[in-house]
Amino acid sequence: MAKPLIVGNWKMFGRCADLAEIGALAAGLGGAVQRIDAVICPPSVYIAAAAALARGGPIAVGAQDCSIEHANAARTGEVSAAMLAEAGARYCIVGHSERRANHGEEGAAVRAKAEAALAAGLIPVVCVGETRPEREAGRAVDAVRAQVREAVPETDLPLAIAYEPVWAIGGDRPPAAAEIAAVHAAVRALNGRARILYGGAVGPANAAEIFAIANVDGALVGRASLKAADFAAIILSHPAAG
Ligand code: PGA
């Protein structure tokens, strides 16, 4: 079984003072962190400070996005994967539904970002997930399959895929276990190597149930990753935490 991967996506939350949560999280995890990869993805402006705080400890730092450009380029406002790696990031989320919805990123651009992350030595966490109309039309599995085919690069390097139903993100209820299992099985059939994470409304109260689902190798957590106590409770509810 793959080493579980649990990634906290702070989105545009968390200020400098909140980076102290990283120390609190490390302290709260104890020995569990040797058996689980735990990652915090703060806003990019805080990555270097977060990495300095996390250095030598059990928590890795990741980014929430990167440019499709591999080298330095005239891309005002963008940050390359190489710069993120230099700042101390080891992971990079790409294709989050908020980027797809707010910045028009689709399959080819997401794949290009994942490739840029891989080229910089980062582990991409490629997000996929159906919308509510797709779910209601019975097209969830097909929609996710299509996104995986479009956005996930072929590679032998470490890479994660996060299944995040768009309608569950920011809500209070993930899909039923059987629905998560069906999508994860379909993603696994397409990609036997990647760690497949579930994301969307994961919290301390439902994490254990989600981690018990077949082909769920971890989680991508939004709101509940902002407070060390909540995020530690999620990580410690994984069976690998012992
Ligand atoms: P949530 O967000 O855990 O707050 O639902 C998940 C995500 O968007 O990655």
Side-chain angles (χ1 to χ4, degrees):
M1 198 187 129
K3 192 175 183 192
L5 170 62
I6 303 179
V7 181
N9 172 15
W10 279 11
K11 309 190 179 182
M12 203 172 76
F13 296 99
R15 304 292 289 270
C16 227
D18 298 299
L19 297 177
E21 298 294 321
I22 293 173
L25 178 63
L29 290 179
V33 284
Q34 265 129 58
R35 298 178 296 275
I36 297 174
D37 288 329
V39 184
I40 293 278
C41 302
S44 61
V45 71
Y46 298 129
I47 286 174
L53 284 170
R55 190 160 297 131
I59 315 291
V61 173
Q64 301 174 12
D65 182 43
C66 67
S67 174
I68 61 170
E69 295 287 349
H70 291 216
N72 293 352
R75 288 265 181 176
T76 303
E78 294 194 15
V79 179
S80 72
M83 292 170 183
L84 296 166
E86 205 168 52
R90 292 187 41 222
Y91 293 78
C92 186
I93 298 169
V94 295
H96 189 280
S97 70
E98 288 153 15
R99 302 248 8 132
R100 291 177 188 258
N102 300 328
H103 302 270
E105 290 176 12
E106 36 60 62
V110 176
R111 178 190 287 257
K113 289 185 172 202
E115 284 167 351
L118 288 168
L122 300 176
I123 299 176
V125 178
V126 185
C127 300
V128 295
E130 84 282 2
T131 60
R132 188 180 294 281
E134 286 168 335
R135 162 69 54 187
E136 285 171 357
R139 294 199 57 253
V141 169
D142 283 350
V144 170
R145 267 202 203 109
Q147 288 178 3
V148 170
R149 287 199 182 99
E150 282 170 5
V152 179
E154 308 287 331
T155 180
D156 291 337
L157 295 168
L159 175 146
I161 299 169
Y163 166 51
E164 296 206 303
V166 177
W167 52 273
I169 292 171
D172 52 14
R173 212 165 46 84
E179 292 172 332
I180 296 176
V183 175
H184 278 243
V187 176
R188 174 67 70 222
L190 292 175
N191 191 314
R193 304 177 61 96
R195 286 185 283 186
I196 308 173
L197 317 183
Y198 171 76
V202 177
N206 60 24
E209 190 192 343
I210 289 168
F211 292 142
I213 299 169
N215 294 306
V216 171
D217 300 316
L220 178 54
V221 182
R223 287 154 296 163
S225 69
L226 288 162
K227 289 284 163 233
D230 288 341
F231 198 39
I234 290 169
I235 294 167
L236 292 173
S237 70
H238 196 285

